[in-house]
Amino acid sequence: MVHVEFTPHLSRFLACPPLDVEGSTVRTALDAVFAERPALKSYLVDDQDRLRKHVALYVNDRPIADRTGLSDGLADGDRLFVFQALSGG
Amino acid sequence: MELHVATRKGLFTVRPDDKDPVSTPSFLGDPVTSVLHDRRDGTLYAALDLGHFGRKLHRSEDGGATWTELASPAFDKKEGDADGPSVSLIWTLEPGGDDQPGRLWAGTIPGALFRSDDRGDSWRLVQSLWDLPERQNWFGGGYDEPGIHSILVDPRDSTNVVCGISCGGVVASSDDGENWRQTGHGFRADYFPPERKDDPSIQDPHRMQACPSQPDTVWCQHHTAVFKSTDRGDNWTELTEARPSAFGFAVAAHPSDPDTAWFVPGIKDERRVPVDGKFVVSRTRDGGRSFDVLDTGLPAEPSFDLVYRHALDIDPSGECLAMGSTTGNLWFSDNGGDDWRLISNFLPPVYQVRFA
């Protein structure tokens, strides 16, 4: 399981407690998050499912490398952090 | 008397005659890019741009006390197209005709028109306009991408719809949005090579408003000058007597007198402040042959206010006007602009002012 946590900023708009999902990549983990919380999807990705420019994703202590394909691998016990980038917005 | 004021940091309800005219805002801290009070059923709609988290759409059935998030106008996902479009901003919301309950139109950046027939619960792209060949000529003005900011539904026949685009001129449909044609002949684009300055598809009509009782008369504050149409936007004539300048964004059309309209001039595109620091409103009451400059109640000292394209509105009586500025000032007039009263000078930058 991957543990997913969200910036408190998102809780202004919708409930966003942490959750645990299955996923071997960032993409599949996010798909699992969106399946469970469909209202969250448009907050993190655009109409074409591209990660929004000012949303930052970290796996454990490192930013993801592939913001386009979200192909960064995940292992059991990893933590995926959904932050707001400190730019734009 | 009530108006809704969409700002960079929330949506305010303003009752100009109240002792404390400005409400506690909805969406405190969030940019509200468009607001619509649907006079057909009293519903209030607000479009947000959350920056990090994209544009959103909300609806209130109780005058803004509580809000429900709706589906936002969105493009279908195009598999395999890394550059597929995505709505970045809901720029304007308009109701359909009185004979079209539930119908809403949304103009967006990039320049697309979306239609809802269920009070915003669901939306679909007006594909025929997105596929209009001339759209390839459109380009962004102020924003990186072109956008639809004016949607005029003909009160005589709500299947006649006209849209204004920055920068993409004017488009019109006579069949409820099924087919579109590029109209807007007679504009002049001084920002383009001479050979193209008359091209209808590259024009920047900052804002268009029609006279509700005679909707063939349409006023336009264009990037280059002030124009008027008497054939619902197909053809335009420049009003060369506009003063103190030809540049601005906002326009208000009198609800019953097709000869009367208001504008809020600025110096020019590369210097978006009042002429000589003197913030004024201009008004024509003779169809654009001459313009009054109205300043009673407006700042006597140098001002740097600019009124965005959606931030000047007129009520159905034609007597009350309200406008909000980028500096966060809000003014109200109950006599057609002859006299103005400051309602607040502590608001966030104002995106839209709309009478309930």
Side-chain angles (χ1 to χ4, degrees), chain A residues 29-73:
Chain A
L30 279 183
D31 286 345
V33 169
F34 297 148
E36 194 159 326
R37 297 179 183 169
L40 180 61
K41 184 174 182 180
S42 75
Y43 284 77
L44 303 186
V45 300
D46 71 8
D47 299 359
Q48 304 299 328
D49 285 356
R50 293 174 297 229
L51 186 65
R52 291 197 179 279
K53 184 177 179 181
H54 299 293
V55 169
L57 298 182
Y58 281 70
V59 176
N60 301 321
D61 61 349
R62 295 188 179 280
I64 64 168
D66 179 13
R67 289 182 54 86
T68 305
L70 305 179
S71 63
D72 292 46

mmCIF file of all heavy atoms in Angstrom, chain A residues 29-73:
data_model
loop_
_atom_site.group_PDB
_atom_site.id
_atom_site.type_symbol
_atom_site.label_atom_id
_atom_site.label_comp_id
_atom_site.label_asym_id
_atom_site.label_seq_id
_atom_site.Cartn_x
_atom_site.Cartn_y
_atom_site.Cartn_z
ATOM 1 N N ALA A 29 -1.373 5.099 -8.573
ATOM 2 C CA ALA A 29 -1.799 5.470 -7.219
ATOM 3 C C ALA A 29 -2.813 6.620 -7.264
ATOM 4 O O ALA A 29 -3.825 6.601 -6.549
ATOM 5 C CB ALA A 29 -0.583 5.863 -6.383
ATOM 6 N N LEU A 30 -2.531 7.607 -8.115
ATOM 7 C CA LEU A 30 -3.484 8.724 -8.223
ATOM 8 C C LEU A 30 -4.814 8.245 -8.802
ATOM 9 O O LEU A 30 -5.882 8.699 -8.377
ATOM 10 C CB LEU A 30 -2.901 9.839 -9.094
ATOM 11 C CG LEU A 30 -1.909 10.789 -8.420
ATOM 12 C CD1 LEU A 30 -1.480 11.878 -9.398
ATOM 13 C CD2 LEU A 30 -2.494 11.425 -7.165
ATOM 14 N N ASP A 31 -4.750 7.340 -9.781
ATOM 15 C CA ASP A 31 -6.003 6.798 -10.328
ATOM 16 C C ASP A 31 -6.826 6.136 -9.226
ATOM 17 O O ASP A 31 -8.062 6.262 -9.184
ATOM 18 C CB ASP A 31 -5.702 5.800 -11.445
ATOM 19 C CG ASP A 31 -5.251 6.481 -12.727
ATOM 20 O OD1 ASP A 31 -5.443 7.712 -12.839
ATOM 21 O OD2 ASP A 31 -4.684 5.796 -13.602
ATOM 22 N N ALA A 32 -6.139 5.468 -8.331
ATOM 23 C CA ALA A 32 -6.846 4.825 -7.222
ATOM 24 C C ALA A 32 -7.433 5.870 -6.267
ATOM 25 O O ALA A 32 -8.548 5.702 -5.759
ATOM 26 C CB ALA A 32 -5.891 3.893 -6.476
ATOM 27 N N VAL A 33 -6.684 6.940 -6.060
ATOM 28 C CA VAL A 33 -7.203 8.034 -5.227
ATOM 29 C C VAL A 33 -8.452 8.625 -5.861
ATOM 30 O O VAL A 33 -9.483 8.839 -5.200
ATOM 31 C CB VAL A 33 -6.123 9.124 -5.035
ATOM 32 C CG1 VAL A 33 -6.733 10.369 -4.404
ATOM 33 C CG2 VAL A 33 -4.973 8.599 -4.187
ATOM 34 N N PHE A 34 -8.388 8.875 -7.174
ATOM 35 C CA PHE A 34 -9.528 9.512 -7.857
ATOM 36 C C PHE A 34 -10.732 8.576 -7.906
ATOM 37 O O PHE A 34 -11.877 9.031 -7.902
ATOM 38 C CB PHE A 34 -9.140 9.951 -9.272
ATOM 39 C CG PHE A 34 -8.048 10.990 -9.305
ATOM 40 C CD1 PHE A 34 -7.143 11.043 -10.355
ATOM 41 C CD2 PHE A 34 -7.923 11.923 -8.282
ATOM 42 C CE1 PHE A 34 -6.142 12.001 -10.382
ATOM 43 C CE2 PHE A 34 -6.925 12.878 -8.299
ATOM 44 C CZ PHE A 34 -6.031 12.922 -9.354
ATOM 45 N N ALA A 35 -10.480 7.271 -8.002
ATOM 46 C CA ALA A 35 -11.604 6.321 -7.999
ATOM 47 C C ALA A 35 -12.349 6.384 -6.663
ATOM 48 O O ALA A 35 -13.570 6.274 -6.619
ATOM 49 C CB ALA A 35 -11.073 4.905 -8.247
ATOM 50 N N GLU A 36 -11.585 6.606 -5.611
ATOM 51 C CA GLU A 36 -12.202 6.673 -4.289
ATOM 52 C C GLU A 36 -12.789 8.044 -4.014
ATOM 53 O O GLU A 36 -13.790 8.181 -3.319
ATOM 54 C CB GLU A 36 -11.157 6.328 -3.222
ATOM 55 C CG GLU A 36 -11.753 6.041 -1.874
ATOM 56 C CD GLU A 36 -10.805 5.222 -0.993
ATOM 57 O OE1 GLU A 36 -10.059 4.380 -1.551
ATOM 58 O OE2 GLU A 36 -10.817 5.430 0.215
ATOM 59 N N ARG A 37 -12.146 9.097 -4.574
ATOM 60 C CA ARG A 37 -12.580 10.474 -4.324
ATOM 61 C C ARG A 37 -12.657 11.236 -5.653
ATOM 62 O O ARG A 37 -11.784 12.042 -5.980
ATOM 63 C CB ARG A 37 -11.583 11.179 -3.394
ATOM 64 C CG ARG A 37 -11.509 10.550 -2.027
ATOM 65 C CD ARG A 37 -10.497 11.251 -1.157
ATOM 66 N NE ARG A 37 -10.391 10.577 0.124
ATOM 67 C CZ ARG A 37 -9.438 10.831 1.012
ATOM 68 N NH1 ARG A 37 -8.509 11.747 0.746
ATOM 69 N NH2 ARG A 37 -9.402 10.177 2.150
ATOM 70 N N PRO A 38 -13.698 10.988 -6.429
ATOM 71 C CA PRO A 38 -13.771 11.588 -7.772
ATOM 72 C C PRO A 38 -13.779 13.113 -7.759
ATOM 73 O O PRO A 38 -13.271 13.737 -8.702
ATOM 74 C CB PRO A 38 -15.069 11.009 -8.346
ATOM 75 C CG PRO A 38 -15.795 10.411 -7.196
ATOM 76 C CD PRO A 38 -14.790 10.042 -6.175
ATOM 77 N N ALA A 39 -14.324 13.718 -6.713
ATOM 78 C CA ALA A 39 -14.384 15.186 -6.683
ATOM 79 C C ALA A 39 -12.996 15.814 -6.598
ATOM 80 O O ALA A 39 -12.807 16.978 -6.943
ATOM 81 C CB ALA A 39 -15.235 15.647 -5.507
ATOM 82 N N LEU A 40 -12.033 15.042 -6.158
ATOM 83 C CA LEU A 40 -10.678 15.575 -5.994
ATOM 84 C C LEU A 40 -9.944 15.716 -7.324
ATOM 85 O O LEU A 40 -9.026 16.541 -7.466
ATOM 86 C CB LEU A 40 -9.883 14.647 -5.066
ATOM 87 C CG LEU A 40 -8.444 14.999 -4.743
ATOM 88 C CD1 LEU A 40 -8.365 16.352 -4.043
ATOM 89 C CD2 LEU A 40 -7.825 13.902 -3.864
ATOM 90 N N LYS A 41 -10.373 14.954 -8.314
ATOM 91 C CA LYS A 41 -9.584 14.846 -9.541
ATOM 92 C C LYS A 41 -9.315 16.183 -10.203
ATOM 93 O O LYS A 41 -8.176 16.507 -10.549
ATOM 94 C CB LYS A 41 -10.282 13.892 -10.519
ATOM 95 C CG LYS A 41 -9.471 13.652 -11.782
ATOM 96 C CD LYS A 41 -10.109 12.586 -12.667
ATOM 97 C CE LYS A 41 -9.248 12.351 -13.897
ATOM 98 N NZ LYS A 41 -9.840 11.328 -14.785
ATOM 99 N N SER A 42 -10.366 16.994 -10.389
ATOM 100 C CA SER A 42 -10.174 18.240 -11.140
ATOM 101 C C SER A 42 -9.309 19.245 -10.384
ATOM 102 O O SER A 42 -8.855 20.226 -10.964
ATOM 103 C CB SER A 42 -11.522 18.865 -11.486
ATOM 104 O OG SER A 42 -12.098 19.477 -10.344
ATOM 105 N N TYR A 43 -9.078 18.993 -9.102
ATOM 106 C CA TYR A 43 -8.207 19.880 -8.333
ATOM 107 C C TYR A 43 -6.720 19.599 -8.616
ATOM 108 O O TYR A 43 -5.881 20.469 -8.420
ATOM 109 C CB TYR A 43 -8.479 19.735 -6.836
ATOM 110 C CG TYR A 43 -9.755 20.413 -6.388
ATOM 111 C CD1 TYR A 43 -10.993 19.838 -6.623
ATOM 112 C CD2 TYR A 43 -9.724 21.649 -5.754
ATOM 113 C CE1 TYR A 43 -12.177 20.453 -6.229
ATOM 114 C CE2 TYR A 43 -10.890 22.276 -5.354
ATOM 115 C CZ TYR A 43 -12.110 21.678 -5.596
ATOM 116 O OH TYR A 43 -13.273 22.302 -5.212
ATOM 117 N N LEU A 44 -6.436 18.377 -9.044
ATOM 118 C CA LEU A 44 -5.031 17.997 -9.201
ATOM 119 C C LEU A 44 -4.598 17.860 -10.649
ATOM 120 O O LEU A 44 -3.408 18.021 -10.956
ATOM 121 C CB LEU A 44 -4.765 16.669 -8.467
ATOM 122 C CG LEU A 44 -5.113 16.664 -6.968
ATOM 123 C CD1 LEU A 44 -4.653 15.352 -6.345
ATOM 124 C CD2 LEU A 44 -4.485 17.853 -6.248
ATOM 125 N N VAL A 45 -5.531 17.532 -11.537
ATOM 126 C CA VAL A 45 -5.182 17.394 -12.951
ATOM 127 C C VAL A 45 -6.140 18.218 -13.791
ATOM 128 O O VAL A 45 -7.260 18.533 -13.366
ATOM 129 C CB VAL A 45 -5.207 15.918 -13.420
ATOM 130 C CG1 VAL A 45 -4.215 15.099 -12.621
ATOM 131 C CG2 VAL A 45 -6.612 15.337 -13.312
ATOM 132 N N ASP A 46 -5.711 18.577 -15.017
ATOM 133 C CA ASP A 46 -6.545 19.399 -15.889
ATOM 134 C C ASP A 46 -7.439 18.520 -16.757
ATOM 135 O O ASP A 46 -7.564 17.310 -16.516
ATOM 136 C CB ASP A 46 -5.680 20.374 -16.696
ATOM 137 C CG ASP A 46 -4.852 19.683 -17.778
ATOM 138 O OD1 ASP A 46 -5.048 18.470 -18.020
ATOM 139 O OD2 ASP A 46 -4.005 20.364 -18.394
ATOM 140 N N ASP A 47 -8.081 19.150 -17.773
ATOM 141 C CA ASP A 47 -9.059 18.422 -18.584
ATOM 142 C C ASP A 47 -8.437 17.218 -19.286
ATOM 143 O O ASP A 47 -9.128 16.271 -19.646
ATOM 144 C CB ASP A 47 -9.671 19.348 -19.652
ATOM 145 C CG ASP A 47 -10.403 20.528 -19.041
ATOM 146 O OD1 ASP A 47 -10.448 20.623 -17.801
ATOM 147 O OD2 ASP A 47 -10.913 21.369 -19.809
ATOM 148 N N GLN A 48 -7.136 17.275 -19.540
ATOM 149 C CA GLN A 48 -6.449 16.197 -20.252
ATOM 150 C C GLN A 48 -5.697 15.281 -19.278
ATOM 151 O O GLN A 48 -4.783 14.550 -19.690
ATOM 152 C CB GLN A 48 -5.491 16.799 -21.283
ATOM 153 C CG GLN A 48 -6.160 17.743 -22.280
ATOM 154 C CD GLN A 48 -7.222 17.056 -23.119
ATOM 155 O OE1 GLN A 48 -7.103 15.866 -23.415
ATOM 156 N NE2 GLN A 48 -8.247 17.793 -23.516
ATOM 157 N N ASP A 49 -6.044 15.346 -18.033
ATOM 158 C CA ASP A 49 -5.415 14.520 -16.987
ATOM 159 C C ASP A 49 -3.939 14.845 -16.787
ATOM 160 O O ASP A 49 -3.178 14.019 -16.268
ATOM 161 C CB ASP A 49 -5.581 13.019 -17.284
ATOM 162 C CG ASP A 49 -6.996 12.553 -17.005
ATOM 163 O OD1 ASP A 49 -7.812 13.369 -16.515
ATOM 164 O OD2 ASP A 49 -7.285 11.381 -17.285
ATOM 165 N N ARG A 50 -3.529 16.032 -17.207
ATOM 166 C CA ARG A 50 -2.154 16.470 -16.917
ATOM 167 C C ARG A 50 -2.094 17.021 -15.493
ATOM 168 O O ARG A 50 -3.012 17.751 -15.072
ATOM 169 C CB ARG A 50 -1.716 17.557 -17.915
ATOM 170 C CG ARG A 50 -1.561 17.051 -19.343
ATOM 171 C CD ARG A 50 -1.287 18.203 -20.280
ATOM 172 N NE ARG A 50 -2.403 19.152 -20.329
ATOM 173 C CZ ARG A 50 -2.954 19.619 -21.447
ATOM 174 N NH1 ARG A 50 -2.499 19.228 -22.626
ATOM 175 N NH2 ARG A 50 -3.956 20.475 -21.404
ATOM 176 N N LEU A 51 -1.036 16.692 -14.797
ATOM 177 C CA LEU A 51 -0.857 17.244 -13.456
ATOM 178 C C LEU A 51 -0.867 18.760 -13.535
ATOM 179 O O LEU A 51 -0.185 19.356 -14.384
ATOM 180 C CB LEU A 51 0.480 16.761 -12.882
ATOM 181 C CG LEU A 51 0.757 17.120 -11.421
ATOM 182 C CD1 LEU A 51 -0.239 16.435 -10.488
ATOM 183 C CD2 LEU A 51 2.199 16.748 -11.053
ATOM 184 N N ARG A 52 -1.669 19.408 -12.700
ATOM 185 C CA ARG A 52 -1.702 20.871 -12.735
ATOM 186 C C ARG A 52 -0.321 21.432 -12.441
ATOM 187 O O ARG A 52 0.420 20.904 -11.598
ATOM 188 C CB ARG A 52 -2.739 21.404 -11.736
ATOM 189 C CG ARG A 52 -4.163 21.095 -12.151
ATOM 190 C CD ARG A 52 -5.168 21.950 -11.406
ATOM 191 N NE ARG A 52 -6.526 21.654 -11.830
ATOM 192 C CZ ARG A 52 -7.093 22.147 -12.941
ATOM 193 N NH1 ARG A 52 -6.413 22.973 -13.725
ATOM 194 N NH2 ARG A 52 -8.328 21.824 -13.265
ATOM 195 N N LYS A 53 -0.017 22.533 -13.128
ATOM 196 C CA LYS A 53 1.340 23.084 -13.123
ATOM 197 C C LYS A 53 1.816 23.417 -11.720
ATOM 198 O O LYS A 53 3.008 23.270 -11.409
ATOM 199 C CB LYS A 53 1.351 24.346 -13.991
ATOM 200 C CG LYS A 53 2.702 24.990 -14.165
ATOM 201 C CD LYS A 53 2.599 26.188 -15.097
ATOM 202 C CE LYS A 53 3.939 26.872 -15.276
ATOM 203 N NZ LYS A 53 3.810 28.054 -16.165
ATOM 204 N N HIS A 54 0.900 23.862 -10.871
ATOM 205 C CA HIS A 54 1.318 24.318 -9.550
ATOM 206 C C HIS A 54 0.928 23.346 -8.441
ATOM 207 O O HIS A 54 0.767 23.731 -7.287
ATOM 208 C CB HIS A 54 0.766 25.716 -9.284
ATOM 209 C CG HIS A 54 1.269 26.722 -10.273
ATOM 210 N ND1 HIS A 54 2.585 27.112 -10.332
ATOM 211 C CD2 HIS A 54 0.645 27.359 -11.290
ATOM 212 C CE1 HIS A 54 2.750 27.975 -11.312
ATOM 213 N NE2 HIS A 54 1.587 28.145 -11.915
ATOM 214 N N VAL A 55 0.771 22.086 -8.833
ATOM 215 C CA VAL A 55 0.635 21.016 -7.850
ATOM 216 C C VAL A 55 1.963 20.263 -7.821
ATOM 217 O O VAL A 55 2.501 19.895 -8.868
ATOM 218 C CB VAL A 55 -0.515 20.059 -8.217
ATOM 219 C CG1 VAL A 55 -0.482 18.807 -7.347
ATOM 220 C CG2 VAL A 55 -1.857 20.777 -8.061
ATOM 221 N N ALA A 56 2.508 20.064 -6.635
ATOM 222 C CA ALA A 56 3.797 19.377 -6.480
ATOM 223 C C ALA A 56 3.569 18.009 -5.852
ATOM 224 O O ALA A 56 2.802 17.880 -4.895
ATOM 225 C CB ALA A 56 4.729 20.208 -5.602
ATOM 226 N N LEU A 57 4.204 16.992 -6.416
ATOM 227 C CA LEU A 57 4.102 15.637 -5.875
ATOM 228 C C LEU A 57 5.480 15.173 -5.401
ATOM 229 O O LEU A 57 6.472 15.336 -6.115
ATOM 230 C CB LEU A 57 3.583 14.668 -6.948
ATOM 231 C CG LEU A 57 2.178 14.944 -7.514
ATOM 232 C CD1 LEU A 57 1.812 13.861 -8.527
ATOM 233 C CD2 LEU A 57 1.152 14.996 -6.399
ATOM 234 N N TYR A 58 5.517 14.624 -4.212
ATOM 235 C CA TYR A 58 6.751 14.071 -3.657
ATOM 236 C C TYR A 58 6.518 12.601 -3.312
ATOM 237 O O TYR A 58 5.462 12.251 -2.761
ATOM 238 C CB TYR A 58 7.170 14.804 -2.383
ATOM 239 C CG TYR A 58 7.857 16.138 -2.633
ATOM 240 C CD1 TYR A 58 7.150 17.226 -3.132
ATOM 241 C CD2 TYR A 58 9.213 16.297 -2.361
ATOM 242 C CE1 TYR A 58 7.782 18.437 -3.365
ATOM 243 C CE2 TYR A 58 9.855 17.507 -2.594
ATOM 244 C CZ TYR A 58 9.131 18.572 -3.095
ATOM 245 O OH TYR A 58 9.758 19.761 -3.325
ATOM 246 N N VAL A 59 7.509 11.779 -3.624
ATOM 247 C CA VAL A 59 7.522 10.406 -3.131
ATOM 248 C C VAL A 59 8.558 10.349 -2.017
ATOM 249 O O VAL A 59 9.749 10.607 -2.258
ATOM 250 C CB VAL A 59 7.866 9.406 -4.248
ATOM 251 C CG1 VAL A 59 7.972 7.995 -3.669
ATOM 252 C CG2 VAL A 59 6.813 9.449 -5.349
ATOM 253 N N ASN A 60 8.063 10.128 -0.836
ATOM 254 C CA ASN A 60 8.907 10.225 0.355
ATOM 255 C C ASN A 60 9.537 11.615 0.401
ATOM 256 O O ASN A 60 8.811 12.592 0.439
ATOM 257 C CB ASN A 60 9.925 9.082 0.394
ATOM 258 C CG ASN A 60 9.206 7.728 0.400
ATOM 259 O OD1 ASN A 60 8.177 7.590 1.058
ATOM 260 N ND2 ASN A 60 9.719 6.770 -0.338
ATOM 261 N N ASP A 61 10.858 11.724 0.288
ATOM 262 C CA ASP A 61 11.474 13.052 0.439
ATOM 263 C C ASP A 61 11.905 13.655 -0.888
ATOM 264 O O ASP A 61 12.630 14.635 -0.911
ATOM 265 C CB ASP A 61 12.665 12.970 1.406
ATOM 266 C CG ASP A 61 13.748 12.039 0.903
ATOM 267 O OD1 ASP A 61 13.490 11.311 -0.086
ATOM 268 O OD2 ASP A 61 14.849 12.036 1.484
ATOM 269 N N ARG A 62 11.459 13.107 -2.015
ATOM 270 C CA ARG A 62 11.940 13.619 -3.306
ATOM 271 C C ARG A 62 10.775 13.972 -4.242
ATOM 272 O O ARG A 62 9.794 13.231 -4.307
ATOM 273 C CB ARG A 62 12.831 12.582 -4.003
ATOM 274 C CG ARG A 62 14.122 12.317 -3.234
ATOM 275 C CD ARG A 62 15.083 11.439 -4.018
ATOM 276 N NE ARG A 62 16.317 11.237 -3.261
ATOM 277 C CZ ARG A 62 17.309 12.147 -3.214
ATOM 278 N NH1 ARG A 62 17.213 13.274 -3.886
ATOM 279 N NH2 ARG A 62 18.388 11.891 -2.488
ATOM 280 N N PRO A 63 10.923 15.076 -4.981
ATOM 281 C CA PRO A 63 9.887 15.390 -5.979
ATOM 282 C C PRO A 63 9.896 14.347 -7.085
ATOM 283 O O PRO A 63 10.957 13.782 -7.399
ATOM 284 C CB PRO A 63 10.313 16.766 -6.513
ATOM 285 C CG PRO A 63 11.780 16.846 -6.263
ATOM 286 C CD PRO A 63 12.037 16.057 -5.003
ATOM 287 N N ILE A 64 8.727 14.090 -7.649
ATOM 288 C CA ILE A 64 8.686 13.099 -8.721
ATOM 289 C C ILE A 64 9.483 13.603 -9.922
ATOM 290 O O ILE A 64 9.601 14.810 -10.157
ATOM 291 C CB ILE A 64 7.246 12.755 -9.133
ATOM 292 C CG1 ILE A 64 6.528 13.987 -9.723
ATOM 293 C CG2 ILE A 64 6.475 12.178 -7.960
ATOM 294 C CD1 ILE A 64 5.208 13.629 -10.399
ATOM 295 N N ALA A 65 10.043 12.678 -10.673
ATOM 296 C CA ALA A 65 10.869 13.035 -11.832
ATOM 297 C C ALA A 65 10.024 13.218 -13.091
ATOM 298 O O ALA A 65 10.331 14.060 -13.936
ATOM 299 C CB ALA A 65 11.923 11.958 -12.066
ATOM 300 N N ASP A 66 8.948 12.458 -13.213
ATOM 301 C CA ASP A 66 8.147 12.466 -14.442
ATOM 302 C C ASP A 66 6.792 13.106 -14.169
ATOM 303 O O ASP A 66 5.822 12.420 -13.846
ATOM 304 C CB ASP A 66 7.975 11.032 -14.948
ATOM 305 C CG ASP A 66 7.122 10.967 -16.206
ATOM 306 O OD1 ASP A 66 6.882 12.040 -16.816
ATOM 307 O OD2 ASP A 66 6.688 9.862 -16.572
ATOM 308 N N ARG A 67 6.734 14.423 -14.342
ATOM 309 C CA ARG A 67 5.477 15.142 -14.103
ATOM 310 C C ARG A 67 4.490 14.948 -15.256
ATOM 311 O O ARG A 67 3.304 15.242 -15.105
ATOM 312 C CB ARG A 67 5.738 16.641 -13.898
ATOM 313 C CG ARG A 67 6.424 16.966 -12.568
ATOM 314 C CD ARG A 67 6.601 18.473 -12.414
ATOM 315 N NE ARG A 67 5.359 19.211 -12.581
ATOM 316 C CZ ARG A 67 4.488 19.439 -11.584
ATOM 317 N NH1 ARG A 67 4.736 19.016 -10.364
ATOM 318 N NH2 ARG A 67 3.376 20.121 -11.825
ATOM 319 N N THR A 68 4.979 14.486 -16.402
ATOM 320 C CA THR A 68 4.101 14.301 -17.559
ATOM 321 C C THR A 68 3.423 12.928 -17.516
ATOM 322 O O THR A 68 2.198 12.825 -17.548
ATOM 323 C CB THR A 68 4.895 14.464 -18.862
ATOM 324 O OG1 THR A 68 5.544 15.730 -18.854
ATOM 325 C CG2 THR A 68 3.983 14.339 -20.071
ATOM 326 N N GLY A 69 4.228 11.894 -17.433
ATOM 327 C CA GLY A 69 3.677 10.541 -17.467
ATOM 328 C C GLY A 69 3.364 9.970 -16.100
ATOM 329 O O GLY A 69 2.696 8.932 -15.988
ATOM 330 N N LEU A 70 3.836 10.628 -15.049
ATOM 331 C CA LEU A 70 3.630 10.163 -13.671
ATOM 332 C C LEU A 70 4.051 8.709 -13.520
ATOM 333 O O LEU A 70 3.395 7.899 -12.870
ATOM 334 C CB LEU A 70 2.163 10.355 -13.254
ATOM 335 C CG LEU A 70 1.602 11.770 -13.389
ATOM 336 C CD1 LEU A 70 0.138 11.812 -12.975
ATOM 337 C CD2 LEU A 70 2.417 12.775 -12.581
ATOM 338 N N SER A 71 5.203 8.398 -14.137
ATOM 339 C CA SER A 71 5.649 7.001 -14.184
ATOM 340 C C SER A 71 6.570 6.629 -13.028
ATOM 341 O O SER A 71 7.015 5.474 -12.948
ATOM 342 C CB SER A 71 6.377 6.749 -15.510
ATOM 343 O OG SER A 71 7.542 7.569 -15.590
ATOM 344 N N ASP A 72 6.877 7.559 -12.143
ATOM 345 C CA ASP A 72 7.757 7.238 -11.019
ATOM 346 C C ASP A 72 7.219 6.023 -10.273
ATOM 347 O O ASP A 72 6.024 5.956 -9.958
ATOM 348 C CB ASP A 72 7.850 8.423 -10.060
ATOM 349 C CG ASP A 72 8.576 9.620 -10.666
ATOM 350 O OD1 ASP A 72 8.273 9.972 -11.823
ATOM 351 O OD2 ASP A 72 9.450 10.185 -9.989
ATOM 352 N N GLY A 73 8.118 5.095 -9.979
ATOM 353 C CA GLY A 73 7.710 3.865 -9.332
ATOM 354 C C GLY A 73 7.441 4.046 -7.847
ATOM 355 O O GLY A 73 8.015 4.917 -7.179
#
